[in-house]
Coordinates of all heavy atoms in Angstrom, one line a residue:
M20 N 0.9 -1.1 0.0 CA 0.0 -0.1 -0.1 C 0.8 1.2 0.0 O 1.9 1.4 0.6 CB -1.0 0.1 1.2 CG -1.8 1.1 1.3 SD -3.1 0.8 2.6 CE -4.5 1.5 1.8
K21 N 0.5 2.3 -0.8 CA 1.3 3.5 -1.0 C 1.2 4.3 0.5 O 0.0 4.3 1.1 CB 0.6 4.4 -1.9 CG 1.1 3.9 -3.4 CD 0.5 5.0 -4.3 CE 0.7 4.5 -5.7 NZ 0.1 5.4 -6.7
S22 N 2.1 5.0 0.7 CA 2.1 5.9 1.8 C 1.2 7.1 1.3 O 0.9 7.4 0.1 CB 3.5 6.5 2.1 OG 3.9 7.4 1.0
E23 N 0.7 7.9 2.3 CA -0.2 9.0 2.0 C 0.6 10.0 1.1 O 0.0 10.6 0.3 CB -0.7 9.6 3.4 CG -1.6 8.9 4.1 CD -2.1 9.6 5.3 OE1 -2.1 10.8 5.4 OE2 -2.5 9.0 6.3
H24 N 1.9 10.2 1.5 CA 2.7 11.2 0.7 C 2.8 10.8 -0.8 O 2.6 11.6 -1.7 CB 4.1 11.2 1.3 CG 5.0 12.1 0.5 ND1 4.9 13.5 0.6 CD2 6.1 11.7 -0.2 CE1 5.9 14.0 -0.2 NE2 6.6 13.0 -0.7
L25 N 3.0 9.4 -1.1 CA 3.1 9.0 -2.5 C 1.7 9.1 -3.2 O 1.7 9.3 -4.3 CB 3.7 7.6 -2.4 CG 5.2 7.4 -2.2 CD1 5.6 5.9 -2.2 CD2 6.0 8.3 -3.2
A26 N 0.7 8.7 -2.4 CA -0.6 8.7 -3.0 C -1.0 10.2 -3.4 O -1.4 10.4 -4.5 CB -1.6 8.3 -2.0
K27 N -0.6 11.1 -2.5 CA -0.9 12.6 -2.8 C -0.1 13.0 -3.9 O -0.6 13.7 -4.9 CB -0.6 13.4 -1.6 CG -0.9 14.9 -1.8 CD -0.8 15.7 -0.5 CE -1.3 17.1 -0.7 NZ -1.4 17.7 0.7
A28 N 1.2 12.7 -4.1 CA 2.1 13.0 -5.1 C 1.5 12.5 -6.4 O 1.5 13.1 -7.5 CB 3.4 12.5 -4.8
D29 N 1.1 11.2 -6.5 CA 0.5 10.6 -7.6 C -0.7 11.2 -8.0 O -1.0 11.5 -9.2 CB 0.3 9.1 -7.5 CG 1.4 8.3 -7.5 OD1 2.7 8.9 -7.8 OD2 1.4 7.1 -7.0
F30 N -1.6 11.6 -7.1 CA -2.8 12.2 -7.4 C -2.5 13.6 -8.0 O -3.1 14.0 -9.2 CB -3.7 12.4 -6.2 CG -4.9 13.2 -6.4 CD1 -6.1 12.5 -6.9 CD2 -5.0 14.6 -6.3 CE1 -7.3 13.2 -7.2 CE2 -6.1 15.3 -6.6 CZ -7.3 14.6 -7.1
L31 N -1.7 14.5 -7.4 CA -1.3 15.7 -8.1 C -0.7 15.7 -9.3 O -1.0 16.6 -10.3 CB -0.4 16.6 -7.0 CG -1.1 16.9 -5.6 CD1 -0.1 17.6 -4.7 CD2 -2.3 17.9 -6.0
R32 N 0.2 14.7 -9.6 CA 0.7 14.5 -11.0 C -0.5 14.2 -12.0 O -0.4 14.8 -13.0 CB 1.7 13.3 -10.9 CG 2.6 13.3 -12.0 CD 3.7 12.3 -11.9 NE 3.6 11.3 -10.9 CZ 4.2 11.4 -9.7 NH1 4.9 12.5 -9.4 NH2 4.1 10.4 -8.8
G33 N -1.4 13.4 -11.6 CA -2.5 13.1 -12.5 C -3.4 14.4 -12.7 O -3.8 14.7 -13.8
L34 N -3.7 15.1 -11.6 CA -4.4 16.3 -11.6 C -3.7 17.4 -12.6 O -4.4 17.9 -13.4 CB -4.6 17.0 -10.3 CG -5.3 18.2 -10.1 CD1 -6.7 18.1 -10.6 CD2 -5.2 18.8 -8.8
R35 N -2.4 17.6 -12.5 CA -1.8 18.5 -13.3 C -1.9 18.1 -14.8 O -2.0 19.0 -15.7 CB -0.3 18.6 -12.9 CG -0.2 19.4 -11.6 CD 1.4 19.5 -11.2 NE 1.5 19.7 -9.8 CZ 2.0 19.0 -8.9 NH1 2.5 17.8 -9.2 NH2 2.1 19.3 -7.6
S36 N -1.8 16.9 -15.0 CA -1.9 16.4 -16.4 C -3.4 16.6 -17.0 O -3.5 17.1 -18.2 CB -1.6 14.8 -16.5 OG -1.8 14.4 -17.7
Y37 N -4.4 16.5 -16.2 CA -5.7 16.8 -16.7 C -5.9 18.2 -16.9 O -6.6 18.6 -17.9 CB -6.7 16.3 -15.6 CG -7.0 14.8 -15.7 CD1 -7.0 14.0 -14.6 CD2 -7.3 14.1 -16.9 CE1 -7.4 12.7 -14.5 CE2 -7.7 12.8 -16.9 CZ -7.6 12.0 -15.7 OH -7.9 10.7 -15.7
I38 N -5.4 19.1 -16.0 CA -5.6 20.4 -16.2 C -4.8 21.0 -17.5 O -5.3 21.8 -18.2 CB -5.0 21.2 -14.9 CG1 -5.9 20.8 -13.6 CG2 -5.0 22.7 -15.1 CD1 -5.2 21.3 -12.4
R39 N -3.6 20.5 -17.6 CA -2.7 20.9 -18.8 C -3.5 20.6 -20.1 O -3.7 21.4 -21.0 CB -1.4 20.2 -18.8 CG -0.3 21.0 -18.0 CD 1.1 20.5 -18.4 NE 1.1 19.0 -18.2 CZ 1.5 18.4 -17.0 NH1 1.7 19.1 -16.0 NH2 1.5 17.1 -17.0
D40 N -4.1 19.3 -20.1 CA -4.8 18.9 -21.3 C -6.1 19.8 -21.4 O -6.4 20.1 -22.7 CB -5.4 17.3 -21.1 CG -4.1 16.4 -21.2 OD1 -3.1 16.7 -21.5 OD2 -4.4 15.2 -20.8
L41 N -6.7 20.2 -20.4 CA -7.9 21.0 -20.5 C -7.5 22.4 -21.0 O -8.2 22.9 -22.0 CB -8.5 21.2 -19.1 CG -9.8 22.0 -19.1 CD1 -10.9 21.5 -19.7 CD2 -10.1 22.4 -17.6
Y42 N -6.5 23.0 -20.5 CA -6.1 24.3 -21.0 C -5.4 24.3 -22.3 O -5.5 25.4 -22.9 CB -5.2 25.1 -19.9 CG -6.0 25.5 -18.7 CD1 -5.4 25.5 -17.5 CD2 -7.3 25.9 -18.8 CE1 -6.1 25.9 -16.4 CE2 -8.0 26.3 -17.7 CZ -7.4 26.3 -16.4 OH -8.1 26.8 -15.5
D43 N -4.9 23.2 -22.8 CA -4.4 23.0 -24.1 C -5.5 23.2 -25.2 O -5.3 23.6 -26.3 CB -3.6 21.7 -24.4 CG -2.2 21.8 -23.7 OD1 -1.8 22.8 -23.3 OD2 -1.7 20.6 -23.6
L44 N -6.7 22.8 -24.7 CA -7.9 23.1 -25.6 C -8.6 24.4 -25.5 O -9.5 24.7 -26.1 CB -8.9 21.9 -25.3 CG -8.6 20.5 -25.5 CD1 -9.6 19.5 -24.9 CD2 -8.3 20.3 -27.0
G45 N -8.0 25.2 -24.8 CA -8.5 26.7 -24.7 C -9.1 27.0 -23.4 O -8.9 26.2 -22.4
D46 N -9.6 28.2 -23.3 CA -10.2 28.7 -22.0 C -11.7 28.5 -22.0 O -12.2 27.7 -22.9 CB -9.8 30.2 -21.7 CG -10.4 31.1 -22.9 OD1 -11.2 30.6 -23.7 OD2 -10.1 32.4 -22.8
F47 N -12.4 29.2 -21.1 CA -13.8 29.0 -20.9 C -14.7 29.4 -22.1 O -15.8 28.9 -22.2 CB -14.3 29.8 -19.7 CG -14.3 31.3 -19.9 CD1 -15.4 32.0 -20.2 CD2 -13.2 31.9 -19.7 CE1 -15.5 33.3 -20.3 CE2 -13.1 33.4 -19.8 CZ -14.4 34.0 -20.2
T48 N -14.0 30.1 -23.2 CA -14.8 30.4 -24.3 C -14.8 29.4 -25.4 O -15.4 29.4 -26.4 CB -14.3 31.8 -25.0 OG1 -12.8 31.5 -25.3 CG2 -14.3 32.9 -23.9
S49 N -14.0 28.3 -25.2 CA -13.7 27.3 -26.1 C -15.1 26.5 -26.3 O -15.8 26.2 -25.3 CB -12.7 26.3 -25.7 OG -12.6 25.2 -26.5
K50 N -15.5 26.1 -27.6 CA -16.6 25.3 -27.8 C -16.3 23.9 -28.2 O -17.1 23.2 -28.7 CB -17.4 25.8 -29.0 CG -17.8 27.4 -28.9 CD -18.9 27.5 -27.8 CE -19.3 28.9 -27.8 NZ -19.5 29.5 -26.4
D51 N -15.0 23.6 -28.1 CA -14.6 22.2 -28.3 C -15.2 21.2 -27.4 O -15.2 21.2 -26.2 CB -13.1 22.1 -28.1 CG -12.4 20.8 -28.6 OD1 -13.1 19.8 -28.5 OD2 -11.2 20.8 -29.0
P52 N -16.0 20.2 -27.9 CA -16.7 19.2 -27.1 C -15.6 18.4 -26.2 O -16.1 17.8 -25.1 CB -17.4 18.3 -28.1 CG -16.9 18.6 -29.4 CD -16.2 19.9 -29.3
E53 N -14.5 18.2 -26.7 CA -13.5 17.4 -25.9 C -13.1 18.2 -24.6 O -12.9 17.5 -23.6 CB -12.2 17.2 -26.8 CG -11.1 16.5 -26.0 CD -11.4 15.0 -25.6 OE1 -12.4 14.6 -26.2 OE2 -10.6 14.6 -24.9
R54 N -13.1 19.6 -24.7 CA -12.9 20.2 -23.5 C -14.0 20.0 -22.5 O -13.8 19.9 -21.2 CB -12.9 21.7 -23.8 CG -12.3 22.6 -22.6 CD -12.0 24.0 -23.1 NE -11.3 24.7 -22.0 CZ -11.9 25.2 -20.9 NH1 -13.2 25.0 -20.6 NH2 -11.1 25.8 -20.0
E55 N -15.3 19.9 -22.9 CA -16.4 19.7 -22.1 C -16.2 18.2 -21.4 O -16.5 18.0 -20.2 CB -17.7 19.8 -22.8 CG -18.0 21.2 -23.0 CD -18.2 22.1 -21.8 OE1 -18.7 21.6 -20.7 OE2 -17.7 23.2 -21.9
R56 N -15.8 17.3 -22.2 CA -15.5 16.0 -21.6 C -14.4 15.9 -20.5 O -14.5 15.4 -19.5 CB -15.1 15.0 -22.8 CG -15.1 13.6 -22.3 CD -14.5 12.7 -23.4 NE -13.1 12.8 -23.7 CZ -12.1 12.4 -22.9 NH1 -12.4 11.7 -21.8 NH2 -10.9 12.6 -23.2
L57 N -13.5 16.7 -20.9 CA -12.2 16.8 -19.9 C -12.7 17.5 -18.6 O -12.2 17.1 -17.5 CB -11.0 17.5 -20.5 CG -10.3 16.6 -21.3 CD1 -9.1 17.6 -22.1 CD2 -9.5 15.5 -20.5
I58 N -13.6 18.5 -18.7 CA -14.0 19.2 -17.5 C -14.8 18.2 -16.6 O -14.6 18.1 -15.4 CB -15.0 20.3 -17.9 CG1 -14.1 21.5 -18.4 CG2 -15.8 20.8 -16.6 CD1 -15.0 22.7 -19.1
T59 N -15.6 17.3 -17.2 CA -16.3 16.3 -16.4 C -15.4 15.4 -15.8 O -15.5 14.9 -14.7 CB -17.4 15.6 -17.4 OG1 -18.2 16.6 -17.9 CG2 -18.1 14.6 -16.6
K60 N -14.4 14.9 -16.6 CA -13.4 14.0 -16.1 C -12.6 14.6 -15.0 O -12.4 14.0 -14.0 CB -12.5 13.5 -17.2 CG -11.7 12.4 -16.9 CD -11.0 11.9 -18.2 CE -10.3 10.6 -17.9 NZ -9.7 10.1 -19.2
L61 N -12.2 15.9 -15.1 CA -11.4 16.6 -14.1 C -12.3 16.7 -12.9 O -11.8 16.4 -11.7 CB -11.0 17.9 -14.6 CG -10.2 18.8 -13.6 CD1 -8.9 18.1 -13.3 CD2 -9.9 20.1 -14.4
E62 N -13.6 17.1 -13.0 CA -14.4 17.1 -11.7 C -14.6 15.8 -11.0 O -14.5 15.8 -9.8 CB -15.8 17.7 -12.2 CG -15.8 19.2 -12.6 CD -17.2 19.6 -13.2 OE1 -18.0 18.8 -13.6 OE2 -17.3 20.9 -13.3
G63 N -14.6 14.8 -11.8 CA -14.8 13.4 -11.1 C -13.5 13.1 -10.4 O -13.5 12.5 -9.4
Y64 N -12.4 13.4 -11.1 CA -11.1 13.1 -10.5 C -10.8 13.8 -9.2 O -10.4 13.3 -8.2 CB -10.0 13.3 -11.6 CG -8.6 13.0 -11.1 CD1 -8.1 11.6 -11.3 CD2 -7.7 13.9 -10.7 CE1 -6.8 11.2 -10.9 CE2 -6.3 13.5 -10.4 CZ -6.0 12.2 -10.5 OH -4.7 11.8 -10.1
T65 N -11.2 15.0 -9.3 CA -10.9 15.9 -8.1 C -11.9 15.5 -6.9 O -11.5 15.6 -5.7 CB -11.0 17.4 -8.4 OG1 -12.3 17.8 -8.9 CG2 -10.0 17.9 -9.4
D66 N -13.1 15.3 -7.3 CA -14.1 14.9 -6.2 C -13.6 13.6 -5.6 O -13.7 13.5 -4.3 CB -15.5 14.6 -6.9 CG -16.2 16.0 -7.2 OD1 -15.7 17.0 -6.9 OD2 -17.2 15.8 -8.0
A67 N -13.1 12.7 -6.4 CA -12.6 11.4 -5.8 C -11.5 11.7 -4.8 O -11.4 11.1 -3.6 CB -12.2 10.4 -6.9
G68 N -10.5 12.4 -5.2 CA -9.4 12.8 -4.4 C -9.8 13.4 -3.1 O -9.2 13.2 -2.1
I69 N -10.7 14.3 -3.2 CA -11.2 15.0 -2.0 C -12.0 14.0 -1.1 O -11.7 14.0 0.1 CB -12.1 16.2 -2.4 CG1 -11.3 17.2 -3.0 CG2 -12.8 16.8 -1.1 CD1 -12.0 18.4 -3.8
V70 N -12.8 13.2 -1.7 CA -13.7 12.2 -0.9 C -12.8 11.3 -0.1 O -12.9 11.0 1.1 CB -14.6 11.5 -1.8 CG1 -15.3 10.4 -1.0 CG2 -15.8 12.5 -2.2
V71 N -11.8 10.7 -0.8 CA -10.8 9.8 -0.1 C -9.7 10.4 0.7 O -9.0 9.7 1.5 CB -10.2 8.8 -1.2 CG1 -11.2 8.0 -1.9 CG2 -9.3 9.4 -2.1
G72 N -9.8 11.8 0.7 CA -8.8 12.4 1.6 C -7.4 12.6 1.2 O -6.5 12.9 1.9
V73 N -7.2 12.4 -0.1 CA -5.8 12.5 -0.6 C -5.5 13.9 -0.7 O -4.3 14.3 -0.6 CB -5.7 11.8 -2.0 CG1 -4.3 12.0 -2.6 CG2 -6.0 10.3 -1.9
V74 N -6.4 14.6 -1.0 CA -6.1 16.2 -1.3 C -7.4 17.0 -0.8 O -8.4 16.5 -0.7 CB -5.9 16.4 -2.9 CG1 -7.1 16.2 -3.6 CG2 -5.2 17.7 -3.1
A75 N -7.1 18.3 -0.5 CA -8.1 19.3 0.0 C -8.5 20.1 -1.3 O -7.7 20.3 -2.2 CB -7.5 20.1 1.0
L76 N -9.7 20.6 -1.2 CA -10.2 21.4 -2.3 C -9.3 22.6 -2.6 O -9.1 22.9 -3.8 CB -11.6 21.9 -2.0 CG -12.3 22.9 -3.0 CD1 -12.4 22.2 -4.3 CD2 -13.6 23.4 -2.5
R77 N -8.8 23.3 -1.6 CA -7.9 24.4 -1.8 C -6.6 24.0 -2.6 O -6.1 24.8 -3.3 CB -7.6 25.0 -0.4 CG -6.8 24.2 0.6 CD -6.5 25.0 1.9 NE -6.1 24.1 2.9 CZ -5.1 23.3 2.9 NH1 -4.2 23.2 1.9 NH2 -4.9 22.4 4.0
E78 N -6.2 22.8 -2.2 CA -4.9 22.2 -2.9 C -5.3 22.1 -4.4 O -4.5 22.4 -5.4 CB -4.4 21.0 -2.4 CG -3.9 21.2 -1.0 CD -3.6 19.9 -0.3 OE1 -4.6 19.1 -0.1 OE2 -2.4 19.6 0.0
V79 N -6.5 21.5 -4.8 CA -6.9 21.5 -6.2 C -7.0 22.8 -6.8 O -6.4 23.0 -7.9 CB -8.2 20.7 -6.2 CG1 -8.8 20.7 -7.6 CG2 -8.1 19.3 -5.7
Q80 N -7.6 23.7 -6.1 CA -7.7 25.1 -6.7 C -6.4 25.7 -6.9 O -6.3 26.4 -8.0 CB -8.6 26.0 -5.8 CG -9.0 27.2 -6.5 CD -9.9 26.9 -7.7 OE1 -10.9 26.3 -7.7 NE2 -9.4 27.6 -8.9
T81 N -5.5 25.5 -6.0 CA -4.2 26.1 -6.2 C -3.4 25.5 -7.4 O -2.8 26.3 -8.2 CB -3.3 25.8 -5.0 OG1 -3.8 26.4 -3.9 CG2 -1.8 26.2 -5.1
E82 N -3.6 24.2 -7.7 CA -3.0 23.6 -8.8 C -3.7 24.2 -10.1 O -3.1 24.5 -11.2 CB -3.1 22.2 -8.9 CG -2.3 21.5 -7.8 CD -0.8 21.7 -8.0 OE1 -0.4 21.8 -9.2 OE2 -0.1 21.8 -7.0
I83 N -5.1 24.4 -10.1 CA -5.8 24.9 -11.3 C -5.3 26.4 -11.5 O -5.0 26.8 -12.7 CB -7.3 24.9 -11.0 CG1 -7.7 23.4 -11.0 CG2 -8.0 25.8 -12.1 CD1 -9.2 23.2 -10.6
D84 N -5.2 27.1 -10.5 CA -4.8 28.6 -10.7 C -3.3 28.7 -11.2 O -3.1 29.5 -12.0 CB -4.8 29.3 -9.3 CG -6.3 29.5 -8.8 OD1 -7.2 29.4 -9.6 OD2 -6.5 29.7 -7.6
K85 N -2.4 27.8 -10.7 CA -1.0 27.9 -11.3 C -0.9 27.4 -12.6 O -0.3 28.0 -13.3 CB -0.1 26.9 -10.3 CG 0.2 27.4 -9.0 CD 1.2 26.6 -8.2 CE 1.1 25.2 -8.2 NZ 2.0 24.5 -7.3
A86 N -1.8 26.4 -13.1 CA -1.6 25.9 -14.3 C -2.3 27.0 -15.4 O -1.8 27.3 -16.4 CB -2.5 24.7 -14.6
H87 N -3.4 27.7 -14.9 CA -3.9 28.7 -15.7 C -2.9 29.9 -15.9 O -2.8 30.4 -17.0 CB -5.2 29.2 -15.0 CG -6.0 30.2 -15.8 ND1 -5.7 31.5 -16.0 CD2 -7.1 30.1 -16.7 CE1 -6.4 32.1 -16.8 NE2 -7.3 31.2 -17.2
L88 N -2.3 30.3 -14.9 CA -1.3 31.4 -14.9 C -0.2 31.0 -15.9 O 0.2 31.8 -16.7 CB -0.8 31.8 -13.5 CG 0.1 32.9 -13.4 CD1 -0.6 34.2 -13.8 CD2 0.6 33.1 -11.9
T89 N 0.3 29.8 -15.8 CA 1.3 29.4 -16.7 C 0.9 29.3 -18.1 O 1.6 29.9 -18.9 CB 1.8 27.9 -16.3 OG1 2.3 28.0 -14.9 CG2 2.8 27.5 -17.2
K90 N -0.2 28.9 -18.4 CA -0.8 28.7 -19.7 C -1.2 30.1 -20.3 O -0.8 30.4 -21.5 CB -2.0 27.8 -19.8 CG -2.6 27.6 -21.1 CD -1.7 26.9 -22.0 CE -2.3 26.6 -23.4 NZ -1.4 25.9 -24.2
F91 N -1.8 30.9 -19.6 CA -2.5 32.1 -20.2 C -1.8 33.4 -19.7 O -2.2 34.5 -20.2 CB -4.0 32.2 -19.9 CG -4.7 31.1 -20.5 CD1 -5.2 30.0 -19.7 CD2 -5.0 31.0 -21.9 CE1 -6.0 28.9 -20.2 CE2 -5.6 29.9 -22.4 CZ -6.2 28.9 -21.6
G92 N -1.0 33.3 -18.8 CA -0.3 34.5 -18.4 C -0.9 35.5 -17.4 O -0.5 36.6 -17.2
E93 N -2.2 35.0 -16.9 CA -2.9 35.9 -16.0 C -3.7 35.0 -15.2 O -4.1 33.9 -15.5 CB -3.7 37.0 -16.8 CG -4.6 36.5 -17.8 CD -5.3 37.5 -18.7 OE1 -5.7 38.6 -18.2 OE2 -5.5 37.2 -19.8
A94 N -4.2 35.6 -14.0 CA -5.1 34.8 -13.1 C -6.3 34.6 -13.8 O -6.8 35.4 -14.7 CB -5.2 35.7 -11.8
R95 N -7.0 33.5 -13.3 CA -8.3 33.0 -13.9 C -9.3 34.1 -13.7 O -10.0 34.4 -14.8 CB -8.8 31.8 -13.1 CG -8.0 30.5 -13.4 CD -8.4 29.3 -12.6 NE -9.8 29.0 -12.6 CZ -10.7 29.2 -11.6 NH1 -10.2 29.6 -10.4 NH2 -12.0 28.9 -11.8
E96 N -9.5 34.7 -12.6 CA -10.6 35.7 -12.4 C -10.4 36.9 -13.3 O -11.2 37.5 -13.9 CB -10.6 36.1 -11.0 CG -11.1 35.0 -10.0 CD -9.9 34.1 -9.7 OE1 -8.7 34.5 -9.9 OE2 -10.2 33.0 -9.1
A97 N -9.1 37.4 -13.4 CA -8.7 38.5 -14.1 C -8.9 38.2 -15.6 O -9.5 39.1 -16.4 CB -7.3 39.0 -13.9
R98 N -8.6 37.1 -16.2 CA -8.7 36.7 -17.5 C -10.2 36.6 -17.8 O -10.6 37.2 -18.9 CB -8.0 35.4 -17.9 CG -8.1 35.0 -19.3 CD -7.4 33.7 -19.6 NE -7.7 33.4 -21.0 CZ -7.1 33.8 -22.1 NH1 -6.2 34.8 -21.9 NH2 -7.4 33.4 -23.3
R99 N -11.0 35.9 -17.1 CA -12.4 35.8 -17.3 C -13.1 37.2 -17.4 O -13.8 37.5 -18.3 CB -13.0 35.1 -16.2 CG -14.7 34.9 -16.3 CD -15.2 34.1 -15.2 NE -14.9 32.6 -15.5 CZ -15.6 31.8 -16.4 NH1 -16.6 32.4 -17.0 NH2 -15.3 30.6 -16.4
A100 N -12.8 38.1 -16.5 CA -13.4 39.5 -16.5 C -12.9 40.2 -17.7 O -13.8 40.8 -18.4 CB -12.9 40.3 -15.2
R101 N -11.7 40.1 -18.1 CA -11.1 40.8 -19.3 C -11.8 40.2 -20.6 O -12.3 41.1 -21.4 CB -9.7 40.7 -19.4 CG -9.0 41.4 -20.6 CD -7.5 41.2 -20.7 NE -7.1 39.9 -20.9 CZ -7.3 39.0 -21.9 NH1 -7.8 39.7 -22.9 NH2 -6.9 37.8 -22.0
V102 N -11.8 38.9 -20.7 CA -12.4 38.3 -21.9 C -13.9 38.7 -22.0 O -14.4 39.0 -23.1 CB -12.2 36.8 -22.0 CG1 -12.9 36.1 -23.0 CG2 -10.7 36.5 -22.1
L103 N -14.6 38.6 -20.9 CA -16.0 38.9 -20.9 C -16.2 40.4 -21.3 O -17.2 40.7 -22.0 CB -16.7 38.5 -19.6 CG -16.8 37.1 -19.3 CD1 -17.4 36.9 -18.0 CD2 -17.8 36.3 -20.4
N104 N -15.4 41.3 -20.8 CA -15.5 42.6 -21.2 C -15.3 42.9 -22.7 O -16.0 43.7 -23.3 CB -14.5 43.5 -20.4 CG -15.0 43.7 -18.9 OD1 -16.3 43.6 -18.6 ND2 -14.2 44.0 -18.0
E105 N -14.3 42.2 -23.2 CA -13.9 42.3 -24.6 C -15.0 41.8 -25.4 O -15.4 42.3 -26.5 CB -12.7 41.6 -24.9 CG -11.5 42.2 -24.4 CD -10.2 41.4 -24.5 OE1 -10.2 40.2 -25.0 OE2 -9.1 41.8 -24.1
L106 N -15.7 40.6 -25.1 CA -16.9 40.1 -25.7 C -18.0 41.1 -25.7 O -18.7 41.3 -26.8 CB -17.2 38.7 -25.2 CG -16.2 37.6 -25.5 CD1 -16.6 36.4 -24.7 CD2 -16.1 37.3 -26.9
M107 N -18.3 41.6 -24.6 CA -19.3 42.6 -24.5 C -19.2 43.8 -25.3 O -20.1 44.3 -26.0 CB -19.6 43.1 -23.0 CG -20.1 41.9 -22.1 SD -21.8 41.6 -22.4 CE -22.5 43.0 -21.6
A108 N -17.9 44.3 -25.3 CA -17.6 45.5 -26.2 C -17.7 45.2 -27.6 O -18.2 46.0 -28.4 CB -16.2 46.0 -25.8
A109 N -17.3 43.9 -28.0 CA -17.3 43.6 -29.5 C -18.9 43.5 -29.9 O -19.2 43.8 -31.0 CB -16.6 42.2 -29.7
K110 N -19.7 42.9 -28.9 CA -21.2 42.8 -29.2 C -21.7 44.2 -29.3 O -22.6 44.4 -30.3 CB -21.8 41.9 -28.1 CG -23.1 41.6 -28.3 CD -23.7 40.7 -27.3 CE -25.1 40.2 -27.6 NZ -25.7 39.4 -26.5
E111 N -21.4 45.0 -28.6 CA -22.0 46.4 -28.5 C -21.6 47.1 -29.8 O -22.3 48.0 -30.3 CB -21.6 47.2 -27.3 CG -22.3 46.6 -26.0 CD -21.8 47.4 -24.8 OE1 -20.9 48.2 -24.8 OE2 -22.3 47.0 -23.7
A112 N -20.4 46.9 -30.2 CA -19.8 47.5 -31.4 C -20.4 47.0 -32.7 O -20.5 47.8 -33.7 CB -18.4 47.4 -31.5
S113 N -20.9 45.9 -32.7 CA -21.5 45.4 -33.9 C -23.0 45.5 -34.1 O -23.7 46.2 -33.4 CB -21.3 43.8 -34.0 OG -21.9 43.1 -32.9

């Protein structure tokens, strides 16, 4: 049986992989059906990790935030606000 430390390390490695795959398909504006499938898979994976006590929700969120910053160069909340503002401005201009 794995130690808690190794189980957590393995879980986080898998989590990072799912997150990278997700962000490789774009951000929240993506219409790629594969991205939706990955979101569902990621949610199930994280829920399982939390339920069995391998990881805490805040640790999952930290990994998501770090991966987003690495991929897109800005924090999730800031990017979402900026992109939504740009979409609204484009809609109003047309």
Side-chain angles (χ1 to χ4, degrees):
M20 181 171 219
K21 285 184 187 178
S22 70
E23 287 181 35
H24 176 75
L25 287 178
K27 184 173 188 169
D29 286 347
F30 177 86
L31 290 174
R32 195 170 14 266
L34 177 65
R35 290 180 195 116
S36 177
Y37 283 130
I38 296 167
R39 275 191 308 272
D40 291 348
L41 179 70
Y42 286 147
D43 283 348
L44 294 174
D46 65 7
F47 69 98
T48 62
S49 173
K50 303 294 185 222
D51 189 329
E53 178 66 13
R54 190 170 192 283
E55 288 302 315
R56 187 187 72 75
L57 277 171
I58 288 171
T59 301
K60 194 170 186 176
L61 178 61
E62 288 172 347
Y64 187 80
T65 58
D66 288 348
I69 292 166
V70 167
V71 300
V73 174
V74 69
L76 178 58
R77 65 180 160 62
E78 293 170 300
V79 170
Q80 191 60 59
T81 295
E82 292 299 326
I83 292 170
D84 292 343
K85 287 192 307 190
H87 188 280
L88 186 60
T89 298
K90 180 69 178 181
F91 299 108
E93 59 188 321
R95 289 175 53 248
E96 298 81 11
R98 180 176 175 80
R99 178 176 286 278
R101 182 182 59 74
V102 169
L103 289 174
N104 284 337
E105 289 172 0
L106 290 172
M107 293 284 286
K110 187 175 182 179
E111 290 173 1
S113 58

